[in-house]
Amino acid sequence: MQNINIKNDLQRLKGIRADKVLTGPRSVSIGISRECNLSCKYCLGRPFDDFKPLKKEERSPFITMADFIKIVEDCSLLGVEHITLCGGEPTLHPDIRQMIAWIIKKKMRVSLNTNGTFNADLRKVLQSVTALNINVAATSHEDYRRLQGGGREVFNRVLRNIKALAGNKRISRQPLINIVYVLNNSNVEQAGEIIALAEKIGADSVQFKIMRFNKGLKDLAILEPDARKLKEIVQKIVRNGEYRQVKTNLRQICRVLLDSRFSKDCETENFYGMFEGGLYFSRAFKKDFKCYYGWFSADIGPWGHVFLCCTNRLTYIGNIYEDPFKKIWNSRYAHKIRLAMKNKFEVNRKFWKPCHYCSSISFNTAVGSFCR
């Protein structure tokens, strides 16, 4: 990560060793919108629908600018270095321009998790952000419509936006453009094609993510035959030296998919009634695995709920409509969850089932090496 504040990170590491909190998180994501103009079948926002808002009848689908400023002010006081705006679709927020400007004014980096369907007049503003993580899970408009909604024009608009922003980077060198490709059994075979497309339109990287499994998405789940297909694709890409201009995490993802425990119990009668996260496993979860994300990160959902991890909802620590973010971060309850993540992590217990999707195992391993 660019421009990491070493002094703050040393405080976080010192706090981990002492089981204390000595500074704020390195990064915070803020769900500024519950609205979205697409209907992705694998949407990560859907699992948070059961977190009901406070005073739902009075709550706008967009966070107010006043509440947003309070969060950003707290982030600045806590020493946060990077804020990611997400949703829903963050570019639908009527104050998105002012929000980006406010974060930059407070000398923090800003990124967006977006579907890339924004209008062309927003590109100039987005040229000032650090990174755009753009959700594209298809390589043709037919597949895009089936998986994400929209049609030919929407898919083409996303590609035009990426190409235009990439072209302007010759001047501004920003933003880093990362295509997020959510792997499921209907797009595994196009893994090589999305890398080629990314290179063609000027994206910097492709981040592959395994689709979060739940009962309603069982038809899209990746099973053993799909893992074998992906292995063949990766081997071909590596053997032929293809797409060297685009960075990917394909090898790491492939290692997870080929784990002997991957798709464990997928044939059992009660499989689809299992707690979400019961499908995918990773060999990296060793007996003494510890999670340190509670010292480095926080996620504020579109209902105002605050989590120490965006993947595991059970790390909920408070709501910004009840208490200020700074108070929530430093609360006793937050620290109790933080210590549970560090000292009581057991991947086979229900509390930790969502962690099977963790994309930060290597991060935790690296932090652990400094904190022994």
Side-chain angles (χ1 to χ4, degrees), residues 316-331:
Y316 168 75
I317 56 173
N319 192 295
I320 59 155
Y321 296 115
E322 290 182 327
D323 294 300
F325 174 64
K326 184 179 178 181
K327 181 178 179 180
I328 293 171
W329 174 261
N330 288 316
S331 69

Side-chain angles (χ1 to χ4, degrees), residues 41-59:
K41 290 184 177 180
Y42 49 80
C43 179
L44 289 178
R46 293 181 182 180
F48 293 90
D49 289 345
D50 59 341
F51 278 90
K52 302 303 181 185
L54 306 175
K55 299 180 181 179
K56 181 178 179 180
E57 66 280 3
E58 302 174 9
R59 190 63 46 77

Side-chain angles (χ1 to χ4, degrees), residues 3 23 38 53 74 116 176 197 199 201 211 213 237 252 259 305 309 313-314 321 328 367:
N3 302 321
T23 188
L38 294 181
D74 274 359
L176 178 75
L197 179 61
E199 185 176 66
I201 59 180
M211 185 196 75
F213 174 84
I237 292 172
Q252 297 93 311
D259 191 296
H305 296 83
C309 171
R313 295 177 293 163
L314 298 179
Y321 296 115
I328 293 171
V367 172

Side-chain angles (χ1 to χ4, degrees), residues 98-328:
Q98 295 93 316
M99 288 177 167
I100 292 172
W102 190 262
I103 296 171
I104 293 173
K105 179 182 178 180
K106 290 295 177 178
K107 301 188 185 306
M108 288 177 279
R109 289 171 288 135
V110 55
S111 298
L112 268 74
N113 294 345
T114 173
N115 58 31
T117 61
F118 44 82
N119 294 326
D121 60 357
L122 193 58
R123 291 176 192 158
K124 185 176 181 180
V125 176
L126 296 180
Q127 210 75 51
S128 64
V129 307
T130 301
L132 290 174
N133 302 307
I134 303 177
N135 173 24
V136 183
T139 57
S140 69
H141 66 84
E142 295 93 350
D143 289 340
Y144 187 89
R145 182 173 185 177
R146 177 173 51 81
L147 277 173
Q148 297 185 243
R152 182 191 296 268
E153 176 51 35
V154 175
F155 180 67
N156 289 339
R157 187 196 313 161
V158 173
L159 300 188
R160 285 198 303 271
N161 282 335
I162 295 173
K163 192 172 184 178
L165 286 165
N168 289 335
K169 283 179 65 175
R170 299 186 186 95
I171 301 173
S172 65
R173 297 185 180 182
Q174 289 188 160
L176 178 75
I177 301 173
N178 176 45
I179 289 178
V180 179
Y181 192 81
V182 180
L183 288 163
N184 54 77
N185 65 18
S186 70
N187 69 4
V188 164
E189 293 189 15
Q190 286 77 48
E193 294 176 24
I194 191 64
I195 300 174
L197 179 61
E199 185 176 66
K200 180 179 179 181
I201 59 180
D204 297 288
S205 62
V206 177
Q207 181 184 13
F208 291 91
K209 288 189 174 183
I210 301 172
M211 185 196 75
R212 287 188 63 174
F213 174 84
N214 61 48
K215 186 176 180 180
L217 297 178
K218 60 183 180 181
D219 293 337
L220 289 177
I222 297 177
L223 300 178
E224 187 178 349
D226 310 300
R228 288 199 300 267
K229 291 176 187 175
L230 185 58
K231 178 183 177 182
E232 294 171 0
I233 292 168
V234 173
Q235 288 175 333
K236 178 179 180 293
I237 292 172
V238 173
R239 182 173 61 250
N240 296 342
E242 299 176 24
Y243 321 124
R244 294 184 177 179
Q245 301 303 312
V246 177
K247 296 180 181 179
T248 80
N249 64 334
L250 201 52
R251 289 188 180 185
Q252 297 93 311
I253 287 290
C254 196
R255 282 198 293 271
V256 172
L257 295 178
L258 296 176
D259 191 296
S260 60
R261 290 177 292 177
F262 180 80
S263 300
K264 181 181 179 183
D265 298 330
C266 64
E267 301 299 329
T268 62
E269 184 178 352
N270 66 346
F271 172 69
Y272 291 121
M274 291 173 64
F275 184 82
E276 67 169 295
L279 177 60
Y280 304 133
F281 293 75
S282 171
R283 65 164 62 93
F285 288 121
K286 298 178 181 179
K287 185 176 181 180
D288 60 347
F289 186 84
K290 297 178 183 294
C291 179
Y292 306 101
Y293 232 55
W295 277 266
F296 284 84
S297 176
D299 181 82
I300 303 173
W303 291 119
H305 296 83
V306 184
F307 307 88
L308 290 177
C309 171
C310 62
T311 299
N312 193 332
R313 295 177 293 163
L314 298 179
T315 62
Y316 168 75
I317 56 173
N319 192 295
I320 59 155
Y321 296 115
E322 290 182 327
D323 294 300
F325 174 64
K326 184 179 178 181
K327 181 178 179 180
I328 293 171

